[in-house]
Amino acid sequence: MIEEYNTVIKNPRKVITRVASCYPNVYRVAMSSLGYQIIYDFLNAREDIYCERVIYPQAKSIETRSDLADFDIVSFTLQFEEDYLNMIEMLKKSNIPLESKNRRPKDPLVIAGGPCATSNPLPISKFIDLFVIGDGEVVLDEIIDVRSDTNDPRADIFDFLDIPGVYKPGYPAKKQQIKSMKDAWRPIYQIVTKTDNPKFMPAFGDNTFMMEVSRGCSRGCRFCMSGCMYRPRREVDLDTLIDTALKTRHATGHNRVALLGEAVSDYSKIEDLCWNLSEEGFDIVTPSLRIESISDELLEILRSNGLKTITIAPETIYSQRLKLNKPITDSQIINTIDRAIDLKFKVKMYLLLGTPGESTDTVMELINYLRGILSRGVRYNTIKTSINPLIPKPHTPLQYMPFDYDDLYQKFKKYSPRLKFRYKNESLRRATIQYVLSNGGGELNNILKISDQLKFRDWYKLANNINQVKVDGITKFPWYEIDVGISDKYLQSEYEKMQNSEVTPWCEEEGCYNCGAC
């Protein structure tokens, strides 16, 4: 059984524009996305719009059970590359022609946004009429205004392309984003889900609301797509956060707040924020913390407010972290873990295999290092690891790097038991698919139409084709028309630094490096 509160009810006949906000992943994932909640609340704040949710595997809206074809705009939030396959399935279930070129004047305008749409929209460009590059709050109002003035959105496509941040292949676009967090949308009346079915339970539980403390990260980790695309880091004012928390508690009935952002613990007043929330009676959770910015005070406040597990990401051994531009020392990691264990926290660690230049000796050093760390929490089984393959992503210095499935397969198969991690070959296969979808170009559109017929060997060949292009010396990436603000010159420079294990210090402490984002 599932119940929802704070859903928006309007008469579809009394609005000018109907929007289907589609999330091509299951309910618990959709309702754990603050971005998805922002779009719903942002659009429904306008009286002339009714935004309804359509969540995979359904192709009808939750609010009125309307088919996708009944809407004026069908908008997909693309947070994960594998969701492309679900998006295509949702379109096939609807009464909308799958490809843009076959749609009629009466068919909805089909748009897509989110991190994946911003980074590389080419693999799905035949299915989407227009892409939103950057923050939806900046672009969506204008798209909806233009849509309300036309009876044939595809015939009037150039009216949309005049809007900054709107992309269609052949028409370059620059990412649009909120410059000051005082202008960011903060959903107060977040949808509340009550259920006893774990299949529908949001990630933070059914007693927690989400609150964004910042956007962007400027630490410069060379493998991190969001860290490269969403620079610079922008913070919400402390008083605004406290006010938002109080209002959202009143609107949702929840006393537990999840603090969100690319780098939550880098928030300049994180201890003050957590202390003030604690004084107001809130319980606090956060998905992960940066080791460099975890203080004793922060850990103590979080523990006293009911947080039971902290998540950190050492990634790999120190010499490899230098290549990734994540120069956390071993002593910093060990000190953080010891402090956490002393406070009776459980610790989850994220690690990577497949880092640049990784050898057998590197992996053995990681195993020995991890063995020492795990021994610190063996008594209470307090430390757990999650190990994933590194996937080179667009708009990062590692975009020039291939993805070696065969090498990773041997490493995971041989070393997983020693890394205290249960290896599943399915995870590496999914990583291969993700690599293809994130690094491929327009040639993937025809392949994705028959994706349900593909075997893993087909994805493997596609990955090798992309690798070969990179090895041969790629001159132009599929996403070259997308300007996310960070320059190619800077990315190439960082790739060269990576090969020499040279660190680029944090710009917020050492000054600007002219990456292009500011």
Side-chain angles (χ1 to χ4, degrees):
M1 182 178 175
I2 181 171
E3 291 182 83
E4 288 187 332
Y5 304 95
N6 288 344
T7 52
V8 176
I9 304 299
K10 296 184 182 181
N11 186 340
R13 296 176 181 175
K14 292 185 178 181
V15 298
I16 296 174
T17 306
R18 295 186 67 191
V19 180
S21 181
C22 304
Y23 201 95
N25 207 313
V26 295
Y27 182 90
R28 70 180 306 271
V29 178
M31 300 316 296
S32 303
S33 167
L34 181 58
Y36 191 55
Q37 295 251 19
I38 286 173
I39 295 302
Y40 183 77
D41 192 66
F42 175 75
L43 292 179
N44 277 315
R46 284 181 51 164
E47 293 184 2
D48 60 333
I49 298 171
Y50 189 15
C51 177
E52 303 178 45
R53 292 165 299 144
V54 184
I55 298 176
Y56 180 83
Q58 303 300 317
K60 293 182 183 293
S61 69
I62 292 175
E63 283 77 3
T64 63
R65 301 300 298 160
S66 299
D67 187 273
L68 290 180
D70 297 334
F71 292 87
D72 301 298
I73 298 175
V74 170
S75 172
F76 285 94
T77 296
L78 299 174
Q79 210 135 13
F80 311 104
E81 289 89 353
E82 287 179 85
D83 289 352
Y84 297 170
L85 310 180
N86 297 339
M87 179 197 77
I88 291 169
E89 184 181 332
M90 291 172 76
L91 284 172
K92 284 180 178 179
K93 287 180 180 178
S94 74
N95 291 313
I96 304 170
L98 180 60
E99 294 192 55
S100 177
K101 67 179 182 180
N102 297 325
R103 289 175 190 145
R104 302 150 293 188
K106 69 173 185 176
D107 289 320
L109 178 71
V110 181
I111 67 175
C116 295
T118 294
S119 66
N120 178 19
L122 273 297
I124 52 172
S125 54
K126 288 187 177 180
F127 314 118
I128 302 297
D129 298 323
L130 297 170
F131 292 93
V132 175
I133 307 301
D135 291 342
E137 301 112 304
V138 183
V139 184
L140 284 174
D141 272 336
E142 288 189 74
I143 291 178
I144 288 167
D145 290 342
V146 173
R147 176 65 183 93
S148 65
D149 289 336
T150 178
N151 291 320
D152 189 347
R154 278 157 292 277
D156 296 327
I157 202 73
F158 290 102
D159 292 339
F160 294 98
L161 292 171
D162 286 338
I163 302 169
V166 170
Y167 174 71
K168 188 176 179 65
Y171 302 91
K174 183 176 177 60
K175 179 198 66 183
Q176 303 296 301
Q177 69 180 19
I178 297 290
K179 290 183 171 59
S180 169
M181 287 303 286
K182 71 177 187 298
D183 299 320
W185 195 264
R186 282 174 278 279
I188 302 299
Y189 287 88
Q190 295 178 26
I191 294 173
V192 175
T193 301
K194 291 295 182 184
T195 181
D196 54 5
N197 188 336
K199 188 168 70 171
F200 297 107
M201 185 73 71
F204 299 108
D206 62 358
N207 63 340
T208 307
F209 66 87
M210 297 173 283
M211 186 169 71
E212 187 176 36
V213 303
S214 62
R215 289 189 191 178
C217 176
S218 53
R219 287 280 185 176
C221 299
R222 292 177 178 135
F223 61 92
C224 181
M225 189 173 76
S226 64
C228 289
M229 289 202 309
Y230 296 118
R231 300 179 181 190
R233 190 170 63 89
R234 292 142 288 150
E235 294 186 350
V236 183
D237 175 78
L238 177 61
D239 290 339
T240 301
L241 287 173
I242 301 302
D243 182 61
T244 300
L246 293 170
K247 289 178 179 176
T248 312
R249 175 165 65 185
H250 180 75
T252 62
H254 293 337
N255 205 48
R256 193 167 180 250
V257 54
L259 304 180
L260 304 181
E262 276 89 0
V264 171
S265 54
D266 279 346
Y267 183 72
S268 60
K269 297 180 180 179
I270 185 63
E271 288 89 359
D272 290 340
L273 172 61
C274 291
W275 175 256
N276 278 280
L277 289 172
S278 175
E279 287 290 287
E280 293 290 348
F282 287 97
D283 291 332
I284 305 167
V285 296
T286 188
S288 63
L289 298 168
R290 285 199 69 99
I291 293 167
E292 309 97 310
S293 51
I294 300 176
S295 67
D296 289 342
E297 183 183 359
L298 177 60
L299 285 177
E300 289 168 5
I301 295 170
L302 292 174
R303 191 68 187 95
S304 66
N305 278 271
L307 189 66
K308 296 178 180 178
T309 301
I310 66 162
T311 302
I312 57 175
E315 313 297 2
T316 180
I317 59 173
Y318 181 67
S319 61
Q320 293 298 102
R321 288 198 294 273
L322 294 179
K323 293 182 179 181
L324 299 177
N325 206 46
K326 197 167 184 177
I328 310 165
T329 65
D330 290 347
S331 61
Q332 283 178 299
I333 296 168
I334 290 170
N335 287 342
T336 298
I337 290 172
D338 284 347
R339 284 182 291 156
I341 292 174
D342 286 344
L343 290 169
K344 303 296 188 293
F345 276 110
K346 292 195 172 186
V347 179
K348 183 174 183 180
M349 298 194 306
Y350 285 120
L351 299 168
L352 293 170
L353 281 184
T355 54
E358 184 180 80
S359 64
T360 299
D361 289 342
T362 305
V363 180
M364 288 306 301
E365 188 177 341
L366 176 61
I367 289 169
N368 292 330
Y369 177 63
L370 187 60
R371 186 177 292 138
I373 288 178
L374 293 176
S375 67
R376 309 177 97 82
V378 69
R379 181 177 177 185
Y380 302 106
N381 192 28
T382 53
I383 304 174
K384 293 187 177 180
T385 59
S386 175
I387 305 173
N388 296 290
L390 189 152
I391 304 171
K393 289 294 183 78
H395 307 288
T396 72
L398 298 193
Q399 66 182 358
Y400 305 99
M401 194 176 99
F403 176 84
D404 193 337
Y405 172 86
D406 294 324
D407 180 59
L408 283 164
Y409 176 81
Q410 293 301 324
K411 286 175 179 174
F412 272 96
K413 183 178 180 181
K414 184 175 181 180
Y415 298 116
S416 288
R418 297 194 220 179
L419 288 166
K420 305 296 182 184
F421 179 71
R422 186 178 177 185
Y423 163 72
K424 295 181 181 178
N425 190 36
E426 183 62 26
S427 300
L428 187 52
R429 292 188 171 199
R430 291 180 64 184
T432 306
I433 295 171
Q434 189 181 138
Y435 173 67
V436 171
L437 295 175
S438 61
N439 285 262
E443 74 281 354
L444 292 180
N445 282 271
N446 291 333
I447 294 170
L448 291 181
K449 283 195 293 187
I450 57 168
S451 59
D452 54 344
Q453 302 173 34
L454 297 183
K455 306 297 184 185
F456 175 69
R457 63 175 176 270
D458 301 312
W459 294 106
Y460 177 83
K461 290 177 183 176
L462 289 167
N464 283 338
N465 290 342
I466 294 170
N467 287 342
Q468 191 59 52
V469 171
K470 291 185 178 184
V471 170
D472 291 343
I474 191 167
T475 57
K476 190 180 288 185
F477 287 108
W479 49 89
Y480 75 96
E481 293 181 327
I482 306 294
D483 179 2
V484 300
I486 195 165
S487 70
D488 290 338
K489 181 180 178 181
Y490 177 79
L491 293 176
Q492 289 166 357
S493 171
E494 285 295 297
Y495 185 65
E496 291 168 6
K497 283 185 173 182
M498 177 273 292
Q499 293 172 315
N500 297 319
S501 299
E502 185 179 344
V503 170
T504 300
W506 190 22
C507 63
E508 292 187 29
E509 291 183 345
E510 301 294 331
C512 180
Y513 296 97
N514 298 313
C515 72
C518 299

